[in-house]
Amino acid sequence: MDLRTRLILALSPLIIALLLFGLVAFFNRQRVSQAVDEVDRASKDLIEVAQSESLILLEQYNVSEIIAGRQNDRSMIESQRATIRSFLSEYTDQGNGSFIELELAARFEVMVAQHDAALTVFDRGNREEALAMISSNDYHRNIRAIHSLVIGAQREYEIQYLQAISQLEQIVNEGFWLGATVTGVATVIAITLAVALVWQIGRHVDSLTADAERLTQTETDGQLSPVGSINQLRRLRDAFQHLLDVNRQRQQQLATALQAQQAQLARELELQATIRALSLPVTPLGVNTIFLPLVGHLDAERGKQLEQTLLDAIQQRRARKVVIDVSGLATFEEETLQTLIRVGQGARLLGAQSILVGVRADQALHFTQLPSGLFTYARDIPAALTMNT
């Protein structure tokens, strides 16, 4: 499976949690909205019943003031009654009111009828009778009943208001804890899957690292460990394995080429040794006389070979005369001069006389640097052979 797919699957619980959280928030919002409406309704009822009591008491006060002659305006009474009736009509007209609201509406109408009757008597000019009507026991009994009913209604609406508040809090808490639970569970699942994915990747990477270290330190060939079903790791493992196989093939090719080059180098060294041996041929010229021609460039290595070859030949052949032909020397350098000095001294120590022949005109000045008496000079080989030792 692709690593990106596994990562998406590991994060899918969070995505699902976000979707569920959105759904929970949407439905909880509707429930909260309904609960808020219920709180508003209960608070409105509570306010209206308190306002109704104030308006009832205010009507009682206005009627008593009119009958007492201290007030003449009656328009306020009608507006107050309209407000109270609009509140009470929500229960009496729709039939959803409790006993308290229905009883309060009936008691209010009784009070209105008593007030209207007293005002009618007052309008006829009988103030004393009107005052007696609003001071009677029945009138005050009805007013006390209205007050008691209003208090009961206030308590009922207060209970409804508190219940609505409690319901709202419960809905909000339920929505919060439900969303938190869904998010928490999804987060735990996502973290678990992510940790498992990271652990799996880390385990396979550690395995590949251990294989790489093992192969680089102890082996040049081998198989890498399997890495499971993660596509990227499998591709990485296969690429490393292919690299190892190609490297092994190249190492084999390089080893074969190295062996071939070593064999060729050995042949070339043998050939060079043969050439060096042939380039310094020591040839006998009569009894107790050997001949050595010098050809080409006399470097340090060839100079050492010259010394060893010539001195060995003097000892083996018990030579008393060594004829060295220098006409074939290509250059005459300080190294060449030192080599000839060592050869002459070595030959003298072995009891042989060194004769240089074939000195060219361009070499003559160089040979003047040789120690006096170390070499004898002759024009050519016959002249050297006729010289007395």
Side-chain angles (χ1 to χ4, degrees), residues 120-186:
T120 301
V121 172
F122 173 74
D123 292 338
R124 292 175 182 174
N126 194 348
R127 176 178 294 176
E128 296 298 330
E129 185 179 356
L131 290 173
M133 292 177 64
I134 62 174
S135 300
S136 63
N137 291 331
D138 291 339
Y139 177 79
H140 286 290
R141 188 181 300 112
N142 188 58
I143 292 299
R144 287 194 296 270
I146 290 175
H147 180 68
S148 299
L149 290 171
V150 168
I151 292 176
Q154 286 179 340
R155 291 177 179 175
E156 180 181 350
Y157 293 145
E158 185 178 357
I159 293 173
Q160 293 178 2
Y161 175 76
L162 294 176
Q163 289 177 348
I165 290 293
S166 177
Q167 184 68 21
L168 177 60
E169 292 178 351
Q170 182 179 358
I171 291 173
V172 172
N173 290 333
E174 287 177 355
F176 171 77
W177 286 112
L178 181 58
T181 301
V182 172
T183 304
V185 172

Side-chain angles (χ1 to χ4, degrees), residues 48 52 81-97 101-102 104-105 108-109 157:
E48 286 182 349
S52 298
R81 289 178 179 178
T83 302
I84 297 173
R85 283 172 177 157
S86 64
F87 167 70
L88 296 177
S89 64
E90 295 181 5
Y91 303 98
T92 58
D93 294 345
Q94 299 177 4
N96 57 351
E101 287 87 2
L102 297 177
L104 179 60
F108 173 72
E109 293 300 331
Y157 293 145

Side-chain angles (χ1 to χ4, degrees), residues 66 173-174 198 252 259 303 339 368:
I66 290 172
N173 290 333
E174 287 177 355
V198 171
Q252 292 176 353
Q259 291 176 357
T339 299
T368 60

Side-chain angles (χ1 to χ4, degrees), residues 48-59 80 84 150:
E48 286 182 349
V49 74
Q51 185 180 6
S52 298
E53 182 184 20
S54 299
L55 292 175
I56 291 171
L57 294 176
L58 185 58
E59 179 179 346
Q80 294 169 357
I84 297 173
V150 168

